[in-house]
Amino acid sequence: MTNRNKAAEQALLQVPVQGMTCAACARRVEKAIRSVPGVDDVTVNLSTERAAVRAGNGVATEQIVRAIEDAGYRVPLAEARLSLVGMTCANCAARIQRTLAKTPGVVEASVNFATETAAVKYIPGAVSVAELAARVRDIGYEAYPVNEASEDVEQRAREAEIRRQTLRFAVAAVFSAPLLLSMAAMFFGGHGSLWSWLHNGWVQLALATPVQFGAGWQFYRDAWHNLRQRTANMSTLVVLGTSAAYLYSLAVLLWGDRLGVHDLYFEASAVVIALVLLGKLLEARAKGRTSAAIKKLVGLQPRTARVVRDGVEMDIPVEQVVPGDLVVVRPGERIPVDGVIEQGHSAVDESMLTGESLPVEKQVGDTVIGGTLNKHGAFRFRATRVGKDTALAQIIRIVQEAQGSRAPIQRLADQVSAYFVPAVLVFALATFLGWYALAGDLTRALLNMTAVLVLACPCALGLATPTAIIVGTGRGAEAGILIRGGEHLEKTHKVNVVVLDKTGTVTKGEPGVTDMRALPPYDERTLLALAAAVERLSEHPLAQAIVAAAAEQAAREHGSGSPAHPETAEDFTALPGRGVRARVGGRLVLVGNRACMQDAGVDIAPLERDVEELENQGKTAMLVAVDGQAAGVIAVADTVKEHAAEAIAALKAMGIAVKMLTGDNVRTARTIAAQVGLAEEDVYAEVLPDQKADVVRRLQQQGLTVAMVGDGVNDAPALAVADVGVAMGTGTDIAIEAADITLMSGDLRALVGAIRLSRATMRKIRQNLFWAFAYNTVGLPLAALGYLSPVLAGAAMAFSSVSVVTNASLLRRFDPMAPFRRRSAHAAA
């Protein structure tokens, strides 16, 4: 079993964690969660403030939440009430309570038999109220949400945290401002009663104390939790540095005359805390903006849906829509869930999901996606996917998991961060001892040690990679490029060869019958009917083209109500990579390629010239044999996608080699390749499904980083083997699940956009890591040598992480499809 399959069998729980201030906090949370028995894997993302936990079914969410809270952090919880129907005794209540409590994402559940209600505390995003109600229904009872809150609990908690940080900074700023004035007066020679009052030690103590132990209390609390866990983080450095300055000043104030020292540094401790709080406030706001893509996607979800039940149209909460409901959509409304149109037609704006700017025409039989915008017409559709199964819900889940993932490049920063704080503590102590030993100046030694402690900040290192990953994956989602994680985003920029499956990737994947040549005693009508009777049992696109052509023929001859295939096939057998065979009316009918006929001993010499002519035209020749004798040939053609040649040219211009593989014959493959600008040596033809992965492996053995692009079930093994598997969003669910990147629009140009986005994201990550390392590499020696005061060090530390987050946020302006948009605009002009 592959690692991918093993991971899929484990429950993935996304847990929001609040209170983390730096990479050391993230490691502590990760360590605490790992200590819970049954937890298999944990990834804690400082930027998104989320922990992605993979655990067995026996691990209760309550255990994970308790571990996080015991480590000194918070998990925002939502509460829901369910009205229950069908309970007959207290045992029923106990059973429902156990079922709810075991649901992943539920922290606490309580069922009251007397009032027939359930109160549930759960992690927002990990489980929904609709899912809770469904769990109750699964065990035989009915459950309905009562006054379900529509607001995003996690967002409210984040906003509350920003308000708390704003209040703390305001308090610190008000009380430290006079101290900052007193320090300025020393530099600029201020005189007068006001300055004398500000220089009074007791006044400075009164101003500094609320800042130190009021606004700055969160640092003490966090440092204490770290101490209990025998770890250290940014709060530890802030507490040690500012406490040293504060306690030293207090000692001077109380016993200065006796000690022979008179300089006070209350302003250093207070102003440093104010600056650190300002940095944390700006960082929190900036982090909120990095995940704007998720908010946009969530905002696409309609709150209500208009359904037809018992012949009556009614508006209901979208959570109550079930598969099979007939849903009514009017002009200008968002489509509430996924489904298939049964009546009416319209144009639908799918830009937020696929990146395609032009509306897509929808008619009866077409699929519509929940969250997309109906532009003009009105229609009714049958709901097929609701709740967490909708395409939009799955996209949101994929983006959330991607934004919570860890890229390999982050390991360096993680390794440095693990040793960073202990190393800074040692460096600060060495600074103090060095200055005191060499200069004999206790005050100078203390100030330089404080500057070192305050300047050092592992936050920038911890935020350098994840913030860029968040913005990059979010920007990709807005452009219709779904990237499953940081690892895949990083790998994509290394791709130097792209392997394209032909059908559905380079071509539209919707072939049609173009020519028929029949041998006596068969005519074209009989030939098509026999072939269609066999191919009706196959799911291959070429088979469906023959079936569709036979249906059209039957409709022309007898009207649309007549059966397309009067004869039934029996003993059907699929011959992978060759064709199909079955018995039709007692005759053995074989439909396939040359290899298929050769294996069956069928002489195709009478058709050889026709087959060669059709193949030279880029068509696929499907040979038909009846009872071991050649009966004719049916030609099927698949047209090249509109922008395939443009995308391949763009890939080559980026220095990326492009290959195409297909199960089609060599002539057809080369004809298609020539149409999109590929040479004969770039084509792998007549490749069986199980050989596609072998082609990818051979390229990898040459030292190449391979991206495989496909859309079919038979592409899944190759997608999984490739360094980067890319699925067309118009393809099968199996291919999409096996892929690392999904191009929702099915446009190959989005592959170019994905690679451009990966390269841009990696540039941002490298910039962030460079500045994070450079900041500490340059700043710490300057602080140790006495060139930075504690206040300047505090200011530098406060804005280091903000600069990293802001730099990553600039990726939101990056348009992966910009070259193609410029080209289209130029062509239009």
Side-chain angles (χ1 to χ4, degrees):
M1 184 181 294
T2 65
N3 291 334
R4 188 191 300 269
N5 292 335
K6 289 179 181 177
E9 292 181 354
Q10 299 167 330
L12 178 62
L13 186 66
Q14 294 280 350
V15 185
V17 182
Q18 294 188 335
M20 295 187 293
T21 58
C22 66
C25 295
R27 289 196 307 276
R28 186 148 62 90
V29 172
E30 189 170 304
K31 180 180 178 182
I33 297 175
R34 285 187 188 279
S35 68
V36 176
V39 170
D40 297 301
D41 188 34
V42 184
T43 301
V44 177
N45 190 305
L46 178 63
S47 297
T48 58
E49 296 181 314
R50 299 180 78 88
V53 185
R54 287 198 181 276
N57 293 329
V59 179
T61 304
E62 181 183 3
Q63 295 174 274
I64 297 171
V65 172
R66 189 184 302 120
I68 294 171
E69 291 178 342
D70 287 345
Y73 301 93
R74 299 180 301 281
V75 177
L77 300 177
E79 294 186 17
R81 292 181 66 241
L82 300 175
S83 176
L84 306 173
V85 177
M87 293 190 297
T88 58
C89 65
N91 286 341
C92 295
R95 184 183 177 201
I96 295 173
Q97 183 168 305
R98 285 195 300 270
T99 299
L100 290 172
K102 290 180 181 178
T103 303
V106 172
V107 177
E108 181 181 338
S110 175
V111 175
N112 190 314
F113 175 64
T115 59
E116 293 190 314
T117 59
V120 186
K121 289 184 178 180
Y122 65 99
I123 298 174
V127 67
S128 68
V129 178
E131 289 173 291
L132 295 175
R135 290 298 296 269
V136 175
R137 295 189 190 104
D138 288 343
I139 60 173
Y141 305 92
E142 288 296 322
Y144 302 96
V146 178
N147 296 326
E148 182 180 7
S150 60
E151 293 183 55
D152 182 353
V153 175
E154 186 179 345
Q155 179 63 23
R156 292 207 315 268
R158 191 185 294 272
E159 290 171 353
E161 178 63 20
I162 291 177
R163 287 195 297 270
R164 283 193 294 269
Q165 292 288 9
T166 302
L167 178 60
R168 289 166 183 158
F169 169 68
V171 170
V174 168
F175 282 95
S176 61
L179 295 171
L180 191 61
L181 287 174
S182 71
M183 184 172 66
M186 292 175 60
F187 283 108
F188 299 108
H191 301 286
S193 58
L194 172 62
W195 305 116
S196 299
W197 178 78
L198 289 176
H199 288 145
N200 184 285
W202 295 103
V203 171
Q204 291 190 2
L205 175 63
L207 292 170
T209 301
V211 178
Q212 190 73 35
F213 301 109
W217 183 249
Q218 63 172 338
F219 301 120
Y220 283 91
R221 184 178 61 247
D222 190 37
W224 167 246
H225 284 298
N226 274 274
L227 183 61
R228 287 175 56 196
Q229 298 288 328
R230 297 179 182 178
T231 58
N233 68 349
M234 185 210 74
S235 294
T236 307
L237 300 178
V238 172
V239 165
L240 287 176
T242 60
S243 296
Y246 178 89
L247 294 175
Y248 173 81
S249 300
L250 181 60
V252 170
L253 182 62
L254 295 175
W255 305 295
D257 292 336
R258 190 181 308 170
L259 297 173
V261 290
H262 300 90
D263 293 328
L264 300 176
Y265 296 98
F266 285 119
E267 78 283 347
S269 65
V271 173
V272 164
I273 287 178
L275 289 171
V276 173
L277 288 171
L278 175 60
K280 288 296 154 193
L281 174 60
L282 296 175
E283 179 187 317
R285 289 179 173 173
K287 285 194 295 186
R289 290 193 295 269
T290 59
S291 56
I294 287 288
K295 296 175 185 176
K296 287 183 180 178
L297 289 171
V298 172
L300 294 178
Q301 297 174 312
R303 300 294 184 189
T304 61
R306 170 158 290 202
V307 301
V308 179
R309 291 181 178 174
D310 299 326
V312 178
E313 291 187 10
M314 60 181 72
D315 290 325
I316 63 173
V318 72
E319 293 84 1
Q320 295 181 17
V321 178
V322 297
D325 270 341
L326 187 62
V327 184
V328 180
V329 181
R330 291 165 292 193
E333 293 182 338
R334 287 203 178 273
I335 298 169
V337 295
D338 297 358
V340 178
I341 296 179
E342 290 193 353
Q343 180 182 339
H345 59 87
S346 183
V348 177
D349 181 357
E350 299 181 342
S351 58
M352 276 302 295
L353 299 181
T354 66
E356 290 291 330
S357 57
L358 295 177
V360 180
E361 294 294 329
K362 298 288 184 179
Q363 300 176 354
V364 173
D366 288 342
T367 300
V368 290
I369 304 172
T372 55
L373 181 65
N374 180 35
K375 299 292 286 186
H376 306 300
F379 60 86
R380 296 185 177 193
F381 71 92
R382 190 70 62 179
T384 56
R385 294 182 180 181
V386 301
K388 66 178 181 181
D389 296 325
T390 63
L392 178 59
Q394 293 180 50
I395 289 171
I396 292 172
R397 174 180 57 80
I398 289 172
V399 176
Q400 284 178 331
E401 291 179 6
Q403 293 189 344
S405 65
R406 181 173 293 164
I409 196 173
Q410 191 173 343
R411 292 173 188 158
L412 174 62
D414 290 343
Q415 291 170 354
V416 172
S417 297
Y419 300 101
F420 185 79
V421 174
V424 168
L425 293 174
V426 172
F427 187 64
L429 180 61
T431 299
F432 176 82
L433 295 175
W435 274 97
Y436 188 68
L438 296 175
D441 189 339
L442 176 64
T443 301
R444 191 69 183 275
L446 181 68
L447 286 178
N448 291 341
M449 180 193 73
T450 301
V452 169
L453 289 170
V454 171
L455 176 80
C457 178
C459 298
L461 284 174
L463 292 169
T465 299
T467 48
I469 295 295
I470 290 170
V471 181
T473 53
R475 189 67 192 89
E478 292 174 355
I481 303 167
L482 291 186
I483 302 170
R484 286 187 174 270
E487 176 185 358
H488 312 306
L489 184 62
E490 179 178 340
K491 274 187 178 180
T492 302
H493 93 284
K494 300 177 182 177
V495 167
N496 44 32
V497 60
V498 170
V499 178
L500 304 172
D501 178 62
K502 179 181 77 69
T503 306
T505 303
V506 176
T507 63
K508 293 180 179 179
E510 299 176 356
V513 173
T514 59
D515 303 86
M516 288 185 287
R517 313 281 170 82
L519 296 177
Y522 304 101
D523 56 22
E524 292 183 356
R525 177 185 176 282
T526 306
L527 181 73
L528 181 61
L530 287 171
V534 178
E535 295 285 22
R536 181 175 45 167
L537 302 176
S538 172
E539 295 181 355
H540 195 282
L542 298 180
Q544 296 305 307
I546 292 176
V547 172
E552 291 177 9
Q553 176 177 274
R556 286 194 304 269
E557 293 177 358
H558 307 291
S560 58
S562 68
H565 311 292
E567 295 189 275
T568 303
E570 299 174 342
D571 300 330
F572 174 84
T573 303
L575 308 171
R578 283 166 167 75
V580 292
R581 70 167 177 254
R583 290 197 174 275
V584 181
R587 292 171 291 183
L588 181 62
V589 179
L590 191 65
V591 183
N593 55 21
R594 279 191 177 87
C596 177
M597 298 297 152
Q598 185 177 354
D599 290 347
V602 176
D603 182 14
I604 62 170
L607 294 169
E608 191 67 54
R609 181 177 297 177
D610 290 330
V611 170
E612 186 172 341
E613 177 187 342
L614 293 169
E615 288 180 346
N616 285 337
Q617 296 173 12
K619 300 171 183 177
T620 300
M622 305 288 288
L623 292 157
V624 182
V626 180
D627 290 332
Q629 299 296 317
V633 59
I634 299 175
V636 179
D638 186 9
T639 56
V640 172
K641 285 188 175 180
E642 182 180 1
H643 301 295
E646 184 181 7
I648 290 171
L651 288 170
K652 290 181 176 180
M654 297 168 72
I656 298 172
V658 182
K659 310 290 183 181
M660 186 184 79
L661 56 79
T662 177
D664 266 348
N665 61 79
V666 174
R667 285 195 184 95
T668 300
R670 288 179 176 174
T671 300
I672 296 294
Q675 293 178 36
V676 294
L678 293 177
E680 292 184 359
E681 59 268 22
D682 295 326
V683 177
Y684 297 88
E686 298 179 2
V687 180
L688 296 177
D690 58 346
Q691 295 174 341
K692 291 184 177 181
D694 294 333
V695 172
V696 173
R697 289 191 187 96
R698 287 200 299 271
L699 291 170
Q700 289 172 327
Q701 288 168 2
Q702 298 173 27
L704 300 171
T705 301
V706 183
M708 169 70 196
V709 189
D711 78 324
V713 173
N714 57 10
D715 298 324
L719 292 173
V721 168
D723 296 288
V724 180
V726 183
M728 310 301 280
T730 50
T732 65
D733 289 343
I734 294 176
I736 292 172
E737 284 299 318
D740 304 315
I741 297 175
T742 300
L743 310 179
M744 294 300 295
S745 64
D747 187 339
L748 257 184
R749 294 180 302 174
L751 173 62
V752 179
I755 296 174
R756 292 186 70 245
L757 180 63
S758 173
R759 292 180 176 181
T761 304
M762 292 308 299
R763 281 197 299 271
K764 286 296 180 187
I765 290 175
R766 292 192 185 99
Q767 290 169 9
N768 284 349
L769 288 174
F770 170 80
W771 288 113
F773 281 115
Y775 160 80
N776 287 294
T777 302
V778 175
L780 285 174
L782 290 176
L785 293 172
Y787 292 109
L788 289 177
S789 70
V791 171
L792 289 177
M797 188 274 273
F799 288 101
S800 62
S801 57
V802 176
S803 63
V804 166
V805 176
T806 302
N807 186 46
S809 297
L810 294 177
L811 265 176
R812 288 190 296 158
R813 303 177 182 176
F814 181 79
D815 183 1
M817 307 297 288
F820 303 111
R821 297 191 207 283
R822 286 195 296 268
R823 200 168 296 139
S824 298
H826 180 72

